Amino acid sequence: MHWDYTDITEIYETLKEYYNTDTFSVLCSIQKYKRFHDIIKRPYDACYGVNFIPIIAVDYNVYVCCHHRGNPKCSLGSLKEKTFKELWSNRQTVFDNIDLSKCIPFCRSDEFNRLLYEIKKPKNHINFL
């Protein structure tokens, strides 16, 4: 479903009513699909989520996230050559070169990114005079 902005809200409710039983269930991240109508698809300017979701692929390479596995530009290196601690200690160089325009919309890190962006963004308190 990468790069697909099809609104499934209505059909999801129908499928859920019809198929949810004791042995079968229809699940999806419906909150992501509701965001398809947002004017700003990605309010953040950097991927903060990469700090939380690295993956180790079958080729022993550590990638910044599941969506970039196999992409050499998003590899921290190989566990055949270095320890995870060594690879992780040099992660910022790779993180700084992530091009968000090449990332899928509403990726696994999207919720992390939205939350951390809101925390990082300075705001005046509601009672600020």
Side-chain angles (χ1 to χ4, degrees):
M1 308 223 23
H2 296 170
W3 301 100
D4 185 349
Y5 289 95
T6 305
D7 185 357
I8 66 161
T9 309
E10 190 176 309
I11 191 70
Y12 172 69
E13 293 302 322
T14 303
L15 290 171
K16 198 166 70 170
E17 287 176 26
Y18 185 78
Y19 286 107
N20 279 356
T21 66
D22 292 338
T23 57
F24 186 77
S25 178
V26 176
L27 300 172
C28 80
S29 299
I30 200 67
Q31 74 276 8
K32 287 185 181 182
Y33 291 99
K34 289 182 178 179
R35 287 219 171 109
F36 282 12
H37 302 291
D38 289 354
I39 294 170
I40 301 172
K41 302 287 187 219
R42 192 177 274 135
Y44 45 89
D45 54 359
C47 184
Y48 309 108
V50 291
N51 289 287
F52 304 101
I53 61 162
I55 66 147
I56 301 170
V58 296
D59 62 1
Y60 295 96
N61 280 306
V62 178
Y63 294 95
V64 296
C65 74
C66 60
H67 302 293
H68 285 292
R69 69 183 175 272
N71 180 351
K73 292 181 180 179
C74 295
S75 173
L76 302 179
S78 175
L79 290 172
K80 289 181 178 179
E81 299 165 12
K82 295 182 180 179
T83 66
F84 184 85
K85 184 177 181 180
E86 291 171 317
L87 296 174
W88 195 247
S89 67
N90 295 317
R91 70 190 180 277
Q92 199 59 51
T93 304
V94 176
F95 290 179
D96 289 343
N97 290 315
I98 293 174
D99 181 358
L100 286 180
S101 69
K102 293 189 167 70
C103 293
I104 65 165
F106 312 110
C107 67
R108 184 167 182 227
S109 289
D110 188 59
E111 288 300 319
F112 290 126
N113 290 333
R114 288 173 186 271
L115 176 64
L116 294 171
Y117 175 75
E118 285 300 313
I119 291 170
K120 186 177 175 186
K121 188 170 76 172
K123 294 181 204 166
N124 289 332
H125 188 274
I126 191 169
N127 294 323
F128 184 75
L129 298 176

